[in-house]
Amino acid sequence: MARTRRPSTRPARTTIADIARHAGVSPTAVSFALNDRPGLSDETRQRILDAVAELNWRPSIAARALTGMRSDTVGLVVARPARTLGIEPFFAQLTSGLQARLSTHVVALHQLVVEDVAAELEVYHRWAAEQRVDGLVLVDLERGDPRPEAVRGLGVPAVVLGGTGEPGPLPAVWVDDYAAMAQIAEHLASLGHRRIGHVGGIPAYEHSVRRVAALHDASRRLGITVDHEDTDYSERASAAATRLLLDRPEPPTAIVYDSDVAALAGLGVASTLGVRVPDDLSVVSFDDSELARLVHPALTALTRDTHALGMLVADTLLDVVAGREVPPVVVAPGPVLTPRASTAAPR
């Protein structure tokens, strides 16, 4: 006789939000209480600690938080579809550089993938309350992003990769995406291209905004037209965007892709449609990797040392964690265009 499986009686894991609701306060107030930070009345602080005890919330981690012990861990939370990160060389090289530098200081990298910014903020509240990490790296900032101000309020040392290039709530390591995209536009215009397509990424991202702005400014300066399609960085969305561009009455003679994975998807679509690269269509990738160099034809791409960029971010964060003064904006070396076989003069 088949045995009937009984439903699990294990209680659900208590979260910072649960404690906040139980005590009638905000998640930030819970973080302040568990980290013994000023800004709360004695009554509120005690109510929060009573809620922690009543809910039996991670007593060993809470105790570590109250003692101020270091975790020797740095956190990186990425709010992107996990399927896109699994094949994305940029993030693999970035995290490799982060970990390489952190390892020399016996510091671990704790990486987590979540579905959206709201989930990312919940992770920051939980990690701050638990003293889970000594510092944070924030990526993929959006326009009007709430994360830098929220993290500063939590009191966790942090560094932003990207941003606007202007001083903000947190120190930032910044790469000039505008100047990088301008290089691509000028290269294609110099070859004689006048209709350029752009398969971009998530439009809310600050770096996406700068790249699109660079292309539109170049269109006025260089006398070219730009057709733009947004994607979620996935191979499927990039292929669909390529089809839309190539199916237009006057298709572009060159397409710029925001990643090498997207560019490879575009090459596949072009091949299926009988569009020859570079005879009928020039292709440029904003990112360079082994993928871009090994494919046929090899991709013209913006080349940069992403591993070194990760190490620079790690060095900056280690300085912040140690209390050393850092510039509000650390300017990283910009990428340089490497022309290869995927670009040529239009027929």
Side-chain angles (χ1 to χ4, degrees), residues 187-194 253-254 276-284 297-298 300 339-347:
H187 170 69
L188 293 174
S190 71
L191 291 174
H193 293 279
R194 292 296 176 263
T253 60
R276 296 173 298 172
V277 177
D279 296 343
D280 305 319
L281 177 72
S282 286
V283 171
V284 182
T300 294
R340 297 193 183 100
S342 67
T343 52
R347 291 198 304 174

Side-chain angles (χ1 to χ4, degrees), residues 11-341:
R13 181 178 178 275
T14 302
T15 68
I16 296 297
D18 295 330
I19 296 171
R21 283 192 294 269
H22 194 80
V25 298
S26 68
T28 300
V30 176
S31 298
F32 276 38
L34 291 175
N35 285 293
D36 201 22
R37 294 188 62 205
L40 300 175
S41 67
D42 292 340
E43 179 184 357
T44 300
R45 189 182 306 275
Q46 188 58 52
R47 189 164 75 249
I48 293 170
L49 295 178
D50 288 344
V52 169
E54 291 168 15
L55 296 175
N56 194 29
W57 178 78
R58 295 183 178 272
S60 60
I61 295 179
R64 184 180 69 186
L66 291 170
T67 62
M69 293 175 59
R70 289 189 54 172
S71 66
D72 291 325
T73 302
V74 162
L76 170 64
V77 184
V78 183
R80 284 197 191 187
R83 69 180 185 279
T84 64
L85 291 178
I87 57 172
E88 178 55 70
F90 174 83
F91 269 100
Q93 287 296 313
L94 178 71
T95 55
S96 174
L98 279 168
Q99 186 63 80
R101 179 65 83 226
L102 293 172
S103 295
T104 63
H105 296 265
V106 199
V107 174
L109 177 66
H110 184 22
Q111 183 175 352
L112 190 64
V113 179
V114 297
E115 59 188 33
D116 54 31
V117 169
E120 185 175 338
L121 286 169
E122 168 62 21
V123 171
Y124 294 150
H125 283 291
R126 186 171 73 247
W127 283 357
E130 297 173 356
Q131 202 80 2
R132 182 67 65 89
V133 296
D134 298 322
L136 294 167
V137 176
L138 277 64
V139 298
D140 290 337
L141 256 63
E142 301 179 357
R143 290 171 289 181
D145 202 303
R147 288 172 288 180
E149 195 65 57
V151 169
R152 186 176 71 167
L154 291 172
V156 182
V159 168
V160 169
L161 173 57
T164 64
E166 299 294 330
L170 301 173
V173 174
W174 184 71
V175 179
D176 191 345
D177 290 270
Y178 184 99
M181 185 61 86
Q183 288 185 63
I184 295 176
E186 289 164 5
H187 170 69
L188 293 174
S190 71
L191 291 174
H193 293 279
R194 292 296 176 263
R195 297 191 308 277
I196 296 174
H198 176 220
V199 175
I202 296 172
Y205 290 169
E206 288 281 2
H207 61 257
S208 295
V209 173
R210 289 196 301 275
R211 295 177 189 183
V212 172
L215 282 175
H216 284 301
D217 288 349
S219 70
R220 293 187 290 269
R221 186 176 70 254
L222 302 173
I224 60 178
T225 61
V226 177
D227 292 324
H228 172 76
E229 294 289 341
D230 294 322
T231 73
D232 62 358
Y233 290 108
S234 69
E235 180 182 0
R236 178 180 298 179
S238 300
T242 303
R243 286 185 178 275
L244 287 173
L245 290 171
L246 294 179
D247 283 343
R248 297 193 177 186
E250 288 191 286
T253 60
I255 300 180
V256 182
Y257 293 86
D258 266 16
S259 75
D260 40 13
V261 171
L264 293 180
L267 285 178
V269 170
S271 177
T272 299
L273 297 177
V275 176
R276 296 173 298 172
V277 177
D279 296 343
D280 305 319
L281 177 72
S282 286
V283 171
V284 182
S285 171
F286 199 91
D287 286 333
D288 197 5
S289 71
E290 290 295 333
L291 294 178
R293 294 186 286 274
L294 293 176
V295 72
H296 181 77
L299 293 175
T300 294
L302 287 169
T303 303
R304 63 178 160 191
D305 191 338
T306 307
H307 183 89
L309 177 63
M311 291 194 291
L312 177 60
V313 173
D315 284 333
T316 305
L317 181 56
L318 289 170
D319 284 342
V320 174
V321 170
R324 293 186 285 269
E325 186 174 351
V326 301
V329 178
V330 178
V331 180
V336 177
L337 188 69
T338 303
R340 297 193 183 100

